[in-house]
Each structure stands twice: as structure tokens, then as C-alpha cells.
Amino acid sequence: MCFLCIIILTLGISFTIQSDLGTSPFDALLVGLSVNVGLTVGSWEVITALILICFNSFLKRKRPEFLGLLTAFITGIGIDMWLFLLHNLITPELWYSKIVCFGIGLVVIGIGTATYLHTNFAPIPVDRLTLIIQELTSTTIFFSRTFIYLLFLIMALIFNGPIGVGTLLTVCLGGQILNYFMRFTRKVLDHILTQSNTSLNYDKD
């Protein structure tokens, strides 16, 4: 289940990268590092994940969640795989096709992120940071996500990542989209689990 959620998430990320309108600040940082330093986008996903795991451990005063590296590793593979597959299949050139491509990516990212967060498997470290900041500041997912986006935006600018109108839209809408799908996916998953438990009890009877 978690693996499928991450595959969905990375598909959304790849759509935003292919749209050429600008990606989320975090993904823009990864692309900027890949282009200017070397290695693949997925490789930088794993490297930054390790750094964030240590930072999250410091904030929570707890042992590092190295299981998050597994999630980041799967995410990195997913991003590289989708970019390879979509490279020649989806290369929007007209402005409206770029907007459609980016819009699809933004929604798919929201669905994938919200769903795998509800699975309670080790979150990707940047998403764990979102939850930690939400807890420490007693605010919403929207606030914590937007705050993190702004921090990564600054770093993406330093490494000349693909910053554009899509980046601005992600900063403004990414938190709200995630907040919406967190509620939506919770209802869907609760419904599925309820049906599953009811079916299981029926079979026992």
C-alpha cells in the first residue's frame, strides 16, 4: 500500500518537472543540485533525506528515524523511473498543455502524500518535518508546509533550480491541497477499513 502511494507521489513530482513551469521548492532544489553538482534527482532525494533525518531527530530530541531512508530510497527510484519514462512521452510545449501537466502533477502529489502519511509508515523526511513543525507550532498542515516550502525556495534559488510560476503556485496551493486530501483520504481509508473489518467479521460468523 505504502509503495503504491509513493509511486503515485513520484508520478506527480515528475509531471511538475516535465511541465517546465517550475516545481515545488524542494524538488527544484533536487533538480538544481542534479544539474549543477551531478548525480540524478533521485540520488539527491536520498542524500537530502539523510540530512533531514538528522535534523528531525534534533528537533524531536529522539533517535533518528533511519527507516525514512527506505521511503526516500523508494521515492528516489520512483522519480528517476518516471522521469526516464516520461521524458519522451510528455514534453508539453504550448502554455496551456504545460498548465494541464503541472495541474495534474500538483493534484497527484497531494493525493499520494496524503495517502501514504495515513499509512503510518515512515514518512519521507521532508514530510516528517512538516508534521514536526505542525506539532511544535500547534498550527495546520497548510502553515507548516508553506513555511518549509519558503525555506527550500531560498535554497533552490541558490542552486539555480527550476523556479517559475509553478513554484509560486506550489507554495501558495501545495499546503491547502495537502490539507484537503488529508481529510479526503482519511474518510476514504476509514471507509475501506470499515468495510474490510465488516467483511472479515461476516466471514468469521
Side-chain angles (χ1 to χ4, degrees), residues 38-193:
L39 303 179
T40 65
V41 177
S43 298
W44 282 109
E45 170 76 33
V46 178
I47 294 170
T48 54
L50 180 59
I51 296 171
L52 286 174
I53 285 172
C54 296
F55 183 65
N56 291 345
S57 173
F58 171 77
L59 288 179
K60 290 288 288 182
R61 301 292 194 276
K62 290 184 178 180
R63 199 180 283 179
E65 292 182 312
F66 287 114
L67 187 59
L69 270 180
L70 174 60
T71 314
F73 182 72
I74 297 172
T75 304
I77 291 176
I79 292 173
D80 287 343
M81 176 191 74
W82 285 122
L83 286 178
F84 176 77
L85 293 175
L86 298 179
H87 179 67
N88 294 318
L89 292 176
I90 301 177
T91 52
E93 297 181 0
L94 300 175
W95 65 269
Y96 58 82
S97 59
K98 291 184 178 183
I99 292 175
V100 170
C101 184
F102 177 82
I104 292 173
L106 203 59
V107 171
V108 172
I109 288 172
I111 295 172
T113 303
T115 306
Y116 95 80
L117 284 176
H118 283 308
T119 64
N120 291 322
F121 190 73
I124 297 170
V126 68
D127 292 321
R128 172 63 79 188
L129 180 59
T130 300
L131 298 176
I132 290 173
I133 291 178
Q134 180 197 16
E135 179 184 339
L136 293 177
T137 58
S138 299
T139 53
T140 64
I141 286 284
F142 168 68
F143 174 84
S144 58
R145 192 70 163 187
T146 303
F147 176 74
I148 291 172
Y149 274 156
L150 290 174
L151 290 179
F152 281 116
L153 177 61
I154 295 171
M155 289 188 280
L157 287 170
I158 294 173
F159 286 97
N160 297 315
I163 304 297
V165 64
T167 309
L168 179 61
L169 289 173
T170 303
V171 172
C172 295
L173 301 177
Q176 289 181 314
I177 291 173
L178 178 59
N179 205 38
Y180 170 79
F181 281 115
M182 284 290 282
R183 296 194 302 269
F184 176 78
T185 53
R186 183 184 296 114
K187 292 179 181 178
V188 173
L189 289 175
D190 287 345
H191 179 68
I192 292 173
L193 290 174

